[in-house]
């Protein structure tokens, strides 16, 4: 098997892998229905999803209970990444939270392209506390640990292997890199590592990201926007801005990434060049709630300084992912919870703004 529990993503072993089996990956997530689904709507959703899953070689389970979804998907990583990209954009649900992603030795739902249950998830999985059992993103935890190890090469190998398996930058971003960054923040909060190590780990992830991004191809966009991407002045963690810039560029936008160290420097940038939108981010690892007032002040100042009176402002970072802050709180037009969805968030924010 290509993925193994030792390395999470085991591409490194691919050369000596005697098994002709394709790698198998399991992804679980939970979410909340944006409005309750009738039996017919649920049946239609399952029917259409099962057809596509069958084409993609995916099997799994969907539990719908009390307006909450829990889903278990298993299949080849690139198929999972494609279907995940659709699911995570689907407006029928919100508060989508990827719980786990890891290699699997075998399928649990081998006969079911999408088994549907409307009972509690635990009941369907034979009394296993499914969400709890699944709540550890093994691969992301491993990536975080490797990123702060004395020798970071295993982190590089894991990330490159994951990218080769997923064949999707947005899947690697949302399912691995961003959760690994949050994991680093949690390790710090639990006193399991120091602040310096978190910064070091994030820098290393950023370096490896650049390595895997070199082959990326930019899509054509019918209406490309000029977007300024920057960490909030004073924010030393730049991984979020790098992921955002990469995602927007790949989606076809004209992206300029800058690292202004002061509010004045940021105002200068928007006063000198035209931008349709600005993406400002806080740390992807720490919550930084205490910077809410400063962020609000800076966003107000940037709007006043901007050459574009209708500048669209998007705010991102862990505080927004954890819903400790919202875009409205800091006077932004929208909130970004993952770089993987930033191009869609930007399109929505712009439509609402115009
Ligand atoms: C809770 C939920 C679970 C879903 N599960 C699947 C699934 O397992 N497989 C699938 O192909 N589509 C699934 N969908 C539907 C996709 O979001 C999407 O509508 C469909 O795959 C078509 O893709 P497209 O919108 O990119 O064309 C699900 C949607 C929701 C709301």
């Amino acid at each position: 098997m290509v993925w193994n529990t030792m390395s999470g993503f085991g591409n490194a072993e691919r050369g000596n892998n005697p098994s002709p089996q394709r790698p198998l990956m399991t992804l679980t997530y939970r979410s909340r229905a944006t409005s309750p689904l009738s039996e017919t709507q649920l049946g239609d959703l399952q029917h259409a999803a099962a057809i596509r899953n069958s084409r993609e070689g995916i099997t799994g389970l969907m539990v719908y209970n009390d307006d909450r979804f829990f889903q278990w998907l298993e299949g080849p990583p690139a198929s999972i990444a494609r279907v995940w990209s659709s699911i995570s954009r689907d407006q029928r649900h919100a508060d989508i939270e990827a719980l786990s992603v890891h290699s699997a030795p075998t399928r649990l739902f081998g006969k079911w392209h999408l088994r549907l249950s409307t009972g509690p998830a635990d009941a369907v999985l034979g009394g296993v506390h499914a969400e709890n059992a699944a709540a550890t993103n093994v691969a992301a935890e491993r990536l975080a640990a490797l990123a702060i190890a004395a020798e970071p090469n295993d982190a590089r190998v894991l990330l490159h292997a994951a990218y080769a398996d997923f064949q999707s930058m947005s899947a690697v971003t949302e399912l691995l890199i961003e959760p690994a960054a949050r994991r680093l923040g949690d390790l710090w909060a639990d006193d399991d590592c120091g602040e310096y190590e978190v910064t070091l780990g994030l820098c290393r992830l950023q370096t490896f990201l650049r390595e895997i991004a070199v082959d990326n191809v930019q899509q054509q966009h019918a209406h490309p926007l000029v977007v300024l991407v920057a960490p909030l002045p004073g924010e030393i963690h730049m991984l979020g801005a790098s992921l955002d810039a990469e995602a927007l560029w790949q989606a076809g936008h004209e992206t300029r990434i800058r690292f202004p160290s002061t509010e004045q420097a940021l105002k200068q940038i928007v006063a000198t060049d035209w931008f349709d939108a600005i993406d400002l981010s806080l740390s992807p690892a720490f919550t930084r709630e205490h910077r809410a007032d400063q962020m609000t002040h800076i966003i107000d100042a940037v709007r006043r300084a901007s050459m574009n009176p209708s500048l669209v402002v998007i705010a991102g970072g862990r505080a927004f992912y954890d819903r400790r802050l919202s875009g409205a709180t800091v006077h932004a037009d929208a909130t970004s919870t993952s770089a993987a969805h930033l191009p869609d968030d930007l399109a929505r924010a712009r439509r609402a703004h115009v």
Side-chain angles (χ1 to χ4, degrees), residues 29 49 52-53 62 69 71 73 83 86-87 90 92-93:
Y29 73 87
R52 180 167 174 204
N53 287 357
M62 180 166 74
F69 288 106
Q71 192 169 7
L73 294 165
V83 168
S86 297
I87 293 176
D90 199 310
R92 285 172 286 186
H93 59 165

Side-chain angles (χ1 to χ4, degrees), residues 246-323:
E246 189 59 39
L248 290 168
W249 176 84
Q250 223 185 325
H253 295 296
E254 195 182 315
T255 310
R256 314 251 173 83
I257 186 162
R258 298 278 188 277
F259 302 98
S261 53
T262 61
E263 176 188 326
Q264 190 53 36
L266 178 61
K267 286 196 296 192
Q268 182 72 34
I269 296 170
V270 294
T272 317
D273 287 313
W274 172 276
F275 294 100
D276 296 298
I278 173 169
D279 170 76
L280 274 180
S281 56
L282 289 169
S283 168
F286 294 157
T287 50
R288 307 270 204 231
E289 275 166 280
H290 61 280
R291 299 202 61 193
D293 286 349
Q294 188 198 11
M295 193 168 199
T296 312
H297 168 83
I298 290 180
I299 288 176
D300 289 346
V302 160
R303 286 191 196 280
R304 282 194 300 273
S306 170
M307 278 176 83
N308 177 0
S310 305
L311 185 75
V312 173
V313 182
I314 301 194
R318 177 158 187 180
F320 299 93
Y321 175 87
D322 286 351
R323 297 192 178 79

Side-chain angles (χ1 to χ4, degrees), residues 1-3 13-24 76 105:
M1 195 187 66
V2 173
W3 289 41
E13 287 90 23
R14 187 166 266 166
N16 1 332
N17 177 14
S19 163
Q21 247 185 327
R22 287 204 291 169
L24 190 64

Side-chain angles (χ1 to χ4, degrees), residues 29 31-33 37 42 45-46 48-56 58-64 68-73 82-94 96 113-114:
Y29 73 87
S31 63
R32 180 181 51 76
L37 271 79
L42 199 58
L45 193 166
Q46 183 218 8
I51 292 174
R52 180 167 174 204
N53 287 357
S54 140
R55 275 203 314 271
E56 293 276 9
I58 289 176
T59 47
L61 163 77
M62 180 166 74
V63 178
Y64 181 62
R68 304 276 314 172
F69 288 106
F70 169 81
Q71 192 169 7
W72 179 298
L73 294 165
R82 274 192 293 275
V83 168
W84 172 250
S85 156
S86 297
I87 293 176
S88 58
R89 288 186 163 81
D90 199 310
Q91 301 289 303
R92 285 172 286 186
H93 59 165
I96 304 169
H113 286 299
L114 191 58

Side-chain angles (χ1 to χ4, degrees), residues 75-117:
S79 302
I80 296 278
R82 274 192 293 275
V83 168
W84 172 250
S85 156
S86 297
I87 293 176
S88 58
R89 288 186 163 81
D90 199 310
Q91 301 289 303
R92 285 172 286 186
H93 59 165
D95 300 345
I96 304 169
E97 187 186 354
L99 297 170
S100 73
V101 50
H102 50 76
S103 58
T106 177
R107 288 180 192 265
L108 278 190
F109 297 92
K111 282 188 290 204
W112 302 91
H113 286 299
L114 191 58
R115 184 177 168 190
L116 173 65
S117 166

